[in-house]
Every structure is written in C-alpha cells, then in structure tokens.
Amino acid sequence: MLEVMNLSAGYGAMEVFWDLSLKFEGGKTTTIVGPNGAGKSTLLKTIMGLITPMSGDVLLRNESCLNAETWQRINEGLVLIPEGRLLFGDLSVEENLIMGAYPKNSRKSLENNKENVFNLFPRLKERRNQISSTLSGGEAQMLAIGRGLMEEPKICLIDEPSLGLSPVMTHEIFSIFRELKEDKLTIVLVEQNTNQALKIADHVYLMQAGRVALSEKRENIDLKKLEDFYFARN
Amino acid sequence: MLELTLQAIYTGLLSGGFYALVAVGLALIFGTMKVINLAHGELVLLAAYVAYATESKLGLNPLLALPIAMAVVVSAALLTYFLTNHIKKDRELNSLILTFGLGIILTNSLLMVFSANIYSTSTEWFFEGVVIGDTLFSMRSELLAFVVGVLSLGGLYWWLNHTWHGRAIRAVSSNLDAAKLMGMNPKQAEMWSWGVAGILATLAGCMLYTTSVIHPPIGHGLTIKAFIITVLAGMGSIPGVLVGAFLIAIIESLTATFFQSSLSELASMGIFLVVLIVLPSGLFGNKRIH
C-alpha cells in the first residue's frame, strides 16, 4: 500500500535519517516506536511531501509519489494527523474541523463527520467557538485528531497521538484507533507510548538514530527484547 | 457648529467606505502570502481609466465599464502574481522592488496613452446631491462608493468564511504546513487572492472615477493610503481595514473642515503614528485574515 525505499532526508545540510526502507501493508496497523530524535516525525513529514527527500523513493500503491505535491497526496487518501502543534492557531475549534473537510471527497459529509468528531470528543463541542491557540495540550491533540478524521483518510499517518494526553484520554483515543483498524483503515502510528502502540499493531518497527533497528510482526515481538533494544542494552 | 461636525464626520464616513475598498485588496494579498503589492493603487487607477475610456469613447455610463475593467485589471493582477512567483529568493522583500517597478511602468503607460490631463465623469447623475435628515449632504457618487465599499468588504468576509476557496486562503494565511496537510494547494489560494484583489481594485477604480478626478500620478498616493490602512488595521485583518479606513477618513475630513485641507494628510499620518506607538501590531493586530 505504502512503501519507503532507501529514503534519506533531513533539514538543510543535516540528515535526520539514512537509507530507510519500510513497508506499510494495506488494512494493517504498523507502529513505529523509538526514542526522541530517531527521525520518526521527519519520516512522516517526508512521506507527506512537507520535506523533500535527499534520495530514495516513496511508493503509494506501487507508484512513486515524489513528484506529487502534498495536496495531491491528500487527494489520494494519504492523511497525516500531526502533533497537536500544527493547528490553525487563530481560527476557532469548529473552523479547524471545517478545514479538515477541504479534500473534495470529504466535503459532502462535512456535517456528519463533524457530529461524529463532536461525539468522540465532547470537549471539542463545548469549546467549538474557542480560538484553538488557547486550547490545552490535550485538547489541541484531540482537535488535530478530529480534524484528520474529517479528511476521511484511507491511509492514516498518526504522529504521537498520546502526547500531552491524560492516561484516560490516551486509552480513549486508542479505542478510536482500534475502531478505525476494524474498518480496515491502513494506519501508520508513531508512538513513544510503546505499550499502547503494541496492543493495536500488526507490525512493529523500532527506529533509532535515523535507522531501522528492528522490524518484526507483532506476534513475534517480545516486549522485554524490544525494551532491551530501545534502551540499547545489548 | 454641531451641524458642521456631523457633516464632517458624515463625509469622512462615506470616503472611509471608499478607502476601505481601496485598501482591502492589498490587505488580502498580504495576509495570504506576506507580499505587499506596491502596484495596487495603480491597478485601481487602471480600472478608473478603463471607466473613463468607456464613457468618453463609447459614450456609455462608466458603471457599464465594470466587466471590461474587471477583465483588464484581474489580468494585470494575475500577471503581477506570476511575476512575483518567479522570485526565487526572499520573496517578501524582493516583491517590494518588483511591484514598485510595475507601478511605475503602469503609471507611465497611463501617461503615454491618456496624457497628463485631469479627467472626471461627465455623467451628471453622479454629482446630484443627496440630503439625509435635512442636514447631511453628499453627492450620489459618494454615497454609492460607500455602499459599494461596505458591501464588498461584507461580501469578501462572507466569501472567506463560507466558500472552499476562501477558506483555503484563510488556512494558508494561518499555517502553511497545516493548510498543505488539509489538501490545499497554496499556489491556487495565492492566485485566488490576487484575482479577488483585482476585482476589488476594479470596483474601487470605478468608484474613484465617479467621485473624484483622475490623473496618472494619483495611483501611487492610493497605494500609500492602502498600505497605511492595512498596517493600521493589523496586517491582514478585514474588520480592521474597515475600522482603520473610517478612522483615517474621518480624521482627514474633520481636519479639512476645522483647519485646512492641506493639513488633512498630516493629521491622518499623525494618528497613524500614534496608533503604531500605542499598538505596534495595529488595531486588530496578530490576527490574520478573518
């Protein structure tokens, strides 16, 4: 469904990752775990076209999408739910959600989807007229997720969804992801909360310092072994 | 005395509607792409000359020039956009030089084609007086310019909030990366803002021709006025443009009434400086287009 081949990218002259190759199967949930600075978010931004790679290729349904602009990739159903910071800070909560319905295919069901998002996150409904830059970290995160769902993704990249959320809220968000997974959505989940992320994963990548340190099916993962890798205890 | 003051405020209010119409196109483009179009006043003047040509050569009412003027001015605005788009480095800064140069070219082209003569409309309907409440007097054209100005700003506000092209402009102006992630094409949003700014400049130009006199150098003055109002508003804010335009125009009109008209520009500049000292980011500062 989505594949990254020998990809290298970074900011300016500084490379963040080198020669990465990952495969994300359709209808499956792939989790990328790894410590801060491993290059996980940069990888997602490069897949979306927000960062131009230095070399390598990104394949969407077996075709290179490097020449497609970010907005063209969105129209192919590729959606990134960024960390809570990438909101329209001077617009209200509701306006942020409406912007999410911009892709042509999702405009028709704007009202429906908005109601769904408000049902998932009643807090957003309470604060629908509030300017989004004044939201708390957790609320901003909910809004980023809600806005991403408004886009009706087919392949959904999710960057650190649990960041800044309470354990209860984290649990709730993961139950939403589980529902999306049951709807056969292709999910690429970047998470530092390894425990939660592993529970819904079909395949797990561990990234460290710009490289893939481990690639395993979920059922072959031993949490102890993963933690050893994570903390480089070998 | 009271009557005179009210009349001065009324006159200022009416020209404020016109000023807002001139300024809002500049504010829109600035809000979308941080480019200050220094040829904006010249685009307004271009529309005014199309209205003049339509009236004097074809003998039509200058308002009938609107479709032709719109085609000409929107094309000129889009051409300016495409040239601006070819700036490879430091677009915000280098576009100042580019658009300033284009303004000079436009002014001199108008001078070449229409000479330095002063023109105004010969359609009498526009100069006839309208009296409101027995005391407040204006020309029909001034009232028309006010109504067109306020309606255009209202229309623009609605368009930005309720259409997908308008929303894309607001999104791009608010957070470029986030806008891309919503599937928006920033280039398309920029093009729409230039096109709409062209339409607004056309309306302003036709109103300029019917209320006042035109000659080639005034384009530059209009740009400066539009720029001051945009800064006063808080770069990119549309309600701010309306308030800023009213403020500037009413100050000018009061100064002209109680002191002398040659001081009116000085007075509005003085207010401009005071506002910037007290509120450095303008009246509605730090808010982007909305």
Side-chain angles (χ1 to χ4, degrees), chain B residues 29-60:
Chain B
I29 291 170
F30 180 81
T32 319
M33 54 192 278
K34 308 286 162 292
V35 162
I36 297 161
N37 176 18
L38 289 179
H40 186 71
E42 281 80 355
L43 290 178
V44 172
L45 188 61
L46 178 64
Y49 270 101
V50 175
Y52 159 71
T54 310
E55 186 184 49
S56 60
K57 303 284 184 282
L58 303 175
L60 295 172

mmCIF file of all heavy atoms in Angstrom, chain B residues 29-60:
data_model
loop_
_atom_site.group_PDB
_atom_site.id
_atom_site.type_symbol
_atom_site.label_atom_id
_atom_site.label_comp_id
_atom_site.label_asym_id
_atom_site.label_seq_id
_atom_site.Cartn_x
_atom_site.Cartn_y
_atom_site.Cartn_z
ATOM 1 N N ILE B 29 -3.917 40.234 -0.102
ATOM 2 C CA ILE B 29 -2.704 39.616 -0.646
ATOM 3 C C ILE B 29 -1.629 39.523 0.425
ATOM 4 O O ILE B 29 -0.949 38.515 0.557
ATOM 5 C CB ILE B 29 -2.200 40.410 -1.866
ATOM 6 C CG1 ILE B 29 -3.175 40.228 -3.029
ATOM 7 C CG2 ILE B 29 -0.811 39.954 -2.271
ATOM 8 C CD1 ILE B 29 -2.924 41.132 -4.183
ATOM 9 N N PHE B 30 -1.521 40.559 1.237
ATOM 10 C CA PHE B 30 -0.522 40.494 2.293
ATOM 11 C C PHE B 30 -0.832 39.346 3.244
ATOM 12 O O PHE B 30 0.048 38.587 3.634
ATOM 13 C CB PHE B 30 -0.423 41.805 3.077
ATOM 14 C CG PHE B 30 0.610 41.688 4.154
ATOM 15 C CD1 PHE B 30 1.946 41.838 3.846
ATOM 16 C CD2 PHE B 30 0.258 41.334 5.443
ATOM 17 C CE1 PHE B 30 2.916 41.646 4.812
ATOM 18 C CE2 PHE B 30 1.221 41.146 6.417
ATOM 19 C CZ PHE B 30 2.553 41.304 6.097
ATOM 20 N N GLY B 31 -2.105 39.214 3.620
ATOM 21 C CA GLY B 31 -2.483 38.154 4.540
ATOM 22 C C GLY B 31 -2.189 36.776 3.982
ATOM 23 O O GLY B 31 -1.773 35.887 4.703
ATOM 24 N N THR B 32 -2.395 36.590 2.696
ATOM 25 C CA THR B 32 -2.207 35.264 2.109
ATOM 26 C C THR B 32 -0.742 34.929 1.929
ATOM 27 O O THR B 32 -0.311 33.825 2.209
ATOM 28 C CB THR B 32 -2.886 35.170 0.722
ATOM 29 O OG1 THR B 32 -4.125 35.817 0.794
ATOM 30 C CG2 THR B 32 -3.061 33.732 0.309
ATOM 31 N N MET B 33 0.044 35.867 1.389
ATOM 32 C CA MET B 33 1.418 35.481 1.048
ATOM 33 C C MET B 33 2.493 36.439 1.500
ATOM 34 O O MET B 33 3.613 36.357 1.025
ATOM 35 C CB MET B 33 1.514 35.160 -0.446
ATOM 36 C CG MET B 33 1.022 36.262 -1.378
ATOM 37 S SD MET B 33 0.854 35.654 -3.071
ATOM 38 C CE MET B 33 2.535 35.759 -3.655
ATOM 39 N N LYS B 34 2.166 37.323 2.444
ATOM 40 C CA LYS B 34 3.166 38.224 3.002
ATOM 41 C C LYS B 34 3.835 39.081 1.927
ATOM 42 O O LYS B 34 4.995 39.450 2.060
ATOM 43 C CB LYS B 34 4.254 37.478 3.791
ATOM 44 C CG LYS B 34 3.732 36.539 4.839
ATOM 45 C CD LYS B 34 3.204 37.282 6.038
ATOM 46 C CE LYS B 34 2.310 36.394 6.869
ATOM 47 N NZ LYS B 34 1.038 36.033 6.215
ATOM 48 N N VAL B 35 3.122 39.321 0.835
ATOM 49 C CA VAL B 35 3.656 40.180 -0.214
ATOM 50 C C VAL B 35 2.872 41.487 -0.184
ATOM 51 O O VAL B 35 1.643 41.476 -0.130
ATOM 52 C CB VAL B 35 3.529 39.501 -1.595
ATOM 53 C CG1 VAL B 35 3.661 40.500 -2.719
ATOM 54 C CG2 VAL B 35 4.567 38.404 -1.735
ATOM 55 N N ILE B 36 3.583 42.610 -0.169
ATOM 56 C CA ILE B 36 2.921 43.909 -0.220
ATOM 57 C C ILE B 36 2.940 44.360 -1.675
ATOM 58 O O ILE B 36 4.007 44.584 -2.247
ATOM 59 C CB ILE B 36 3.633 44.935 0.675
ATOM 60 C CG1 ILE B 36 3.549 44.479 2.132
ATOM 61 C CG2 ILE B 36 3.023 46.307 0.514
ATOM 62 C CD1 ILE B 36 4.561 45.140 3.030
ATOM 63 N N ASN B 37 1.766 44.431 -2.266
ATOM 64 C CA ASN B 37 1.684 44.783 -3.681
ATOM 65 C C ASN B 37 1.715 46.298 -3.836
ATOM 66 O O ASN B 37 0.701 46.970 -3.735
ATOM 67 C CB ASN B 37 0.402 44.199 -4.274
ATOM 68 C CG ASN B 37 0.213 44.612 -5.710
ATOM 69 O OD1 ASN B 37 1.158 45.051 -6.369
ATOM 70 N ND2 ASN B 37 -1.005 44.498 -6.201
ATOM 71 N N LEU B 38 2.896 46.826 -4.114
ATOM 72 C CA LEU B 38 3.035 48.287 -4.224
ATOM 73 C C LEU B 38 2.466 48.833 -5.529
ATOM 74 O O LEU B 38 2.511 50.020 -5.766
ATOM 75 C CB LEU B 38 4.507 48.693 -4.057
ATOM 76 C CG LEU B 38 5.057 48.532 -2.638
ATOM 77 C CD1 LEU B 38 6.516 48.932 -2.567
ATOM 78 C CD2 LEU B 38 4.248 49.359 -1.643
ATOM 79 N N ALA B 39 1.935 47.963 -6.376
ATOM 80 C CA ALA B 39 1.278 48.443 -7.594
ATOM 81 C C ALA B 39 -0.236 48.444 -7.424
ATOM 82 O O ALA B 39 -0.968 48.656 -8.385
ATOM 83 C CB ALA B 39 1.679 47.575 -8.782
ATOM 84 N N HIS B 40 -0.726 48.229 -6.188
ATOM 85 C CA HIS B 40 -2.171 48.094 -6.003
ATOM 86 C C HIS B 40 -2.932 49.376 -6.380
ATOM 87 O O HIS B 40 -3.947 49.323 -7.068
ATOM 88 C CB HIS B 40 -2.473 47.701 -4.562
ATOM 89 C CG HIS B 40 -3.919 47.394 -4.330
ATOM 90 N ND1 HIS B 40 -4.508 46.255 -4.825
ATOM 91 C CD2 HIS B 40 -4.899 48.087 -3.697
ATOM 92 C CE1 HIS B 40 -5.784 46.263 -4.495
ATOM 93 N NE2 HIS B 40 -6.051 47.350 -3.812
ATOM 94 N N GLY B 41 -2.443 50.511 -5.930
ATOM 95 C CA GLY B 41 -3.100 51.776 -6.259
ATOM 96 C C GLY B 41 -3.127 52.026 -7.762
ATOM 97 O O GLY B 41 -4.096 52.558 -8.307
ATOM 98 N N GLU B 42 -2.067 51.612 -8.438
ATOM 99 C CA GLU B 42 -2.006 51.770 -9.886
ATOM 100 C C GLU B 42 -3.041 50.873 -10.570
ATOM 101 O O GLU B 42 -3.605 51.241 -11.602
ATOM 102 C CB GLU B 42 -0.595 51.453 -10.396
ATOM 103 C CG GLU B 42 0.405 52.595 -10.197
ATOM 104 C CD GLU B 42 0.972 52.669 -8.776
ATOM 105 O OE1 GLU B 42 0.530 51.904 -7.893
ATOM 106 O OE2 GLU B 42 1.863 53.514 -8.542
ATOM 107 N N LEU B 43 -3.306 49.694 -9.986
ATOM 108 C CA LEU B 43 -4.347 48.817 -10.546
ATOM 109 C C LEU B 43 -5.716 49.475 -10.390
ATOM 110 O O LEU B 43 -6.554 49.413 -11.295
ATOM 111 C CB LEU B 43 -4.332 47.452 -9.846
ATOM 112 C CG LEU B 43 -3.135 46.544 -10.136
ATOM 113 C CD1 LEU B 43 -3.244 45.254 -9.333
ATOM 114 C CD2 LEU B 43 -3.034 46.227 -11.616
ATOM 115 N N VAL B 44 -5.936 50.127 -9.246
ATOM 116 C CA VAL B 44 -7.190 50.852 -9.026
ATOM 117 C C VAL B 44 -7.336 51.945 -10.087
ATOM 118 O O VAL B 44 -8.385 52.106 -10.722
ATOM 119 C CB VAL B 44 -7.217 51.466 -7.607
ATOM 120 C CG1 VAL B 44 -8.414 52.384 -7.431
ATOM 121 C CG2 VAL B 44 -7.223 50.363 -6.546
ATOM 122 N N LEU B 45 -6.237 52.669 -10.295
ATOM 123 C CA LEU B 45 -6.265 53.773 -11.262
ATOM 124 C C LEU B 45 -6.492 53.246 -12.691
ATOM 125 O O LEU B 45 -7.194 53.870 -13.484
ATOM 126 C CB LEU B 45 -4.942 54.551 -11.177
ATOM 127 C CG LEU B 45 -4.888 55.839 -11.980
ATOM 128 C CD1 LEU B 45 -5.949 56.823 -11.501
ATOM 129 C CD2 LEU B 45 -3.506 56.481 -11.875
ATOM 130 N N LEU B 46 -5.889 52.090 -12.980
ATOM 131 C CA LEU B 46 -6.083 51.473 -14.298
ATOM 132 C C LEU B 46 -7.568 51.244 -14.554
ATOM 133 O O LEU B 46 -8.094 51.561 -15.633
ATOM 134 C CB LEU B 46 -5.303 50.158 -14.355
ATOM 135 C CG LEU B 46 -5.413 49.332 -15.643
ATOM 136 C CD1 LEU B 46 -4.826 50.089 -16.823
ATOM 137 C CD2 LEU B 46 -4.696 47.980 -15.479
ATOM 138 N N ALA B 47 -8.272 50.724 -13.536
ATOM 139 C CA ALA B 47 -9.710 50.499 -13.672
ATOM 140 C C ALA B 47 -10.435 51.822 -13.917
ATOM 141 O O ALA B 47 -11.355 51.907 -14.739
ATOM 142 C CB ALA B 47 -10.257 49.826 -12.417
ATOM 143 N N ALA B 48 -9.996 52.884 -13.206
ATOM 144 C CA ALA B 48 -10.625 54.197 -13.375
ATOM 145 C C ALA B 48 -10.457 54.686 -14.817
ATOM 146 O O ALA B 48 -11.384 55.246 -15.416
ATOM 147 C CB ALA B 48 -10.013 55.189 -12.388
ATOM 148 N N TYR B 49 -9.272 54.450 -15.393
ATOM 149 C CA TYR B 49 -9.054 54.884 -16.778
ATOM 150 C C TYR B 49 -9.877 54.066 -17.770
ATOM 151 O O TYR B 49 -10.318 54.590 -18.785
ATOM 152 C CB TYR B 49 -7.558 54.821 -17.126
ATOM 153 C CG TYR B 49 -6.854 56.126 -16.801
ATOM 154 C CD1 TYR B 49 -6.094 56.265 -15.650
ATOM 155 C CD2 TYR B 49 -6.992 57.232 -17.646
ATOM 156 C CE1 TYR B 49 -5.471 57.463 -15.338
ATOM 157 C CE2 TYR B 49 -6.373 58.444 -17.347
ATOM 158 C CZ TYR B 49 -5.615 58.547 -16.187
ATOM 159 O OH TYR B 49 -5.017 59.740 -15.892
ATOM 160 N N VAL B 50 -10.076 52.785 -17.466
ATOM 161 C CA VAL B 50 -10.946 51.983 -18.341
ATOM 162 C C VAL B 50 -12.359 52.562 -18.296
ATOM 163 O O VAL B 50 -13.026 52.693 -19.334
ATOM 164 C CB VAL B 50 -10.947 50.495 -17.925
ATOM 165 C CG1 VAL B 50 -11.954 49.717 -18.766
ATOM 166 C CG2 VAL B 50 -9.563 49.890 -18.074
ATOM 167 N N ALA B 51 -12.799 52.977 -17.086
ATOM 168 C CA ALA B 51 -14.126 53.594 -16.959
ATOM 169 C C ALA B 51 -14.180 54.901 -17.758
ATOM 170 O O ALA B 51 -15.159 55.177 -18.460
ATOM 171 C CB ALA B 51 -14.436 53.859 -15.483
ATOM 172 N N TYR B 52 -13.107 55.686 -17.677
ATOM 173 C CA TYR B 52 -13.049 56.944 -18.439
ATOM 174 C C TYR B 52 -13.140 56.670 -19.929
ATOM 175 O O TYR B 52 -13.907 57.313 -20.662
ATOM 176 C CB TYR B 52 -11.758 57.704 -18.100
ATOM 177 C CG TYR B 52 -11.370 58.705 -19.153
ATOM 178 C CD1 TYR B 52 -12.123 59.886 -19.314
ATOM 179 C CD2 TYR B 52 -10.299 58.476 -20.016
ATOM 180 C CE1 TYR B 52 -11.801 60.793 -20.299
ATOM 181 C CE2 TYR B 52 -9.967 59.373 -21.003
ATOM 182 C CZ TYR B 52 -10.720 60.535 -21.152
ATOM 183 O OH TYR B 52 -10.408 61.429 -22.133
ATOM 184 N N ALA B 53 -12.340 55.682 -20.404
ATOM 185 C CA ALA B 53 -12.316 55.374 -21.830
ATOM 186 C C ALA B 53 -13.688 54.904 -22.299
ATOM 187 O O ALA B 53 -14.168 55.305 -23.366
ATOM 188 C CB ALA B 53 -11.261 54.303 -22.112
ATOM 189 N N THR B 54 -14.351 54.102 -21.473
ATOM 190 C CA THR B 54 -15.672 53.596 -21.841
ATOM 191 C C THR B 54 -16.667 54.750 -21.971
ATOM 192 O O THR B 54 -17.479 54.797 -22.896
ATOM 193 C CB THR B 54 -16.181 52.619 -20.763
ATOM 194 O OG1 THR B 54 -15.166 51.666 -20.512
ATOM 195 C CG2 THR B 54 -17.432 51.913 -21.210
ATOM 196 N N GLU B 55 -16.576 55.709 -21.049
ATOM 197 C CA GLU B 55 -17.506 56.823 -21.077
ATOM 198 C C GLU B 55 -17.207 57.776 -22.232
ATOM 199 O O GLU B 55 -18.091 58.163 -22.985
ATOM 200 C CB GLU B 55 -17.442 57.585 -19.743
ATOM 201 C CG GLU B 55 -18.489 58.678 -19.651
ATOM 202 C CD GLU B 55 -18.347 59.488 -18.371
ATOM 203 O OE1 GLU B 55 -17.215 59.919 -18.068
ATOM 204 O OE2 GLU B 55 -19.350 59.695 -17.685
ATOM 205 N N SER B 56 -15.923 58.112 -22.390
ATOM 206 C CA SER B 56 -15.600 59.158 -23.367
ATOM 207 C C SER B 56 -15.580 58.621 -24.799
ATOM 208 O O SER B 56 -15.984 59.313 -25.719
ATOM 209 C CB SER B 56 -14.253 59.801 -23.029
ATOM 210 O OG SER B 56 -13.245 58.826 -23.066
ATOM 211 N N LYS B 57 -15.132 57.373 -24.995
ATOM 212 C CA LYS B 57 -15.024 56.860 -26.364
ATOM 213 C C LYS B 57 -16.292 56.158 -26.818
ATOM 214 O O LYS B 57 -16.696 56.238 -27.972
ATOM 215 C CB LYS B 57 -13.837 55.881 -26.474
ATOM 216 C CG LYS B 57 -12.487 56.475 -26.069
ATOM 217 C CD LYS B 57 -11.924 57.386 -27.141
ATOM 218 C CE LYS B 57 -10.546 57.912 -26.788
ATOM 219 N NZ LYS B 57 -10.590 59.033 -25.785
ATOM 220 N N LEU B 58 -16.933 55.429 -25.892
ATOM 221 C CA LEU B 58 -18.116 54.663 -26.280
ATOM 222 C C LEU B 58 -19.406 55.363 -25.872
ATOM 223 O O LEU B 58 -20.488 54.951 -26.250
ATOM 224 C CB LEU B 58 -18.080 53.263 -25.663
ATOM 225 C CG LEU B 58 -16.851 52.403 -25.988
ATOM 226 C CD1 LEU B 58 -16.886 51.094 -25.215
ATOM 227 C CD2 LEU B 58 -16.777 52.128 -27.489
ATOM 228 N N GLY B 59 -19.283 56.433 -25.057
ATOM 229 C CA GLY B 59 -20.457 57.168 -24.618
ATOM 230 C C GLY B 59 -21.354 56.389 -23.677
ATOM 231 O O GLY B 59 -22.557 56.625 -23.606
ATOM 232 N N LEU B 60 -20.776 55.420 -22.958
ATOM 233 C CA LEU B 60 -21.592 54.618 -22.041
ATOM 234 C C LEU B 60 -21.446 55.133 -20.607
ATOM 235 O O LEU B 60 -20.483 55.828 -20.283
ATOM 236 C CB LEU B 60 -21.145 53.161 -22.085
ATOM 237 C CG LEU B 60 -21.359 52.419 -23.403
ATOM 238 C CD1 LEU B 60 -20.687 51.065 -23.366
ATOM 239 C CD2 LEU B 60 -22.849 52.255 -23.687
#
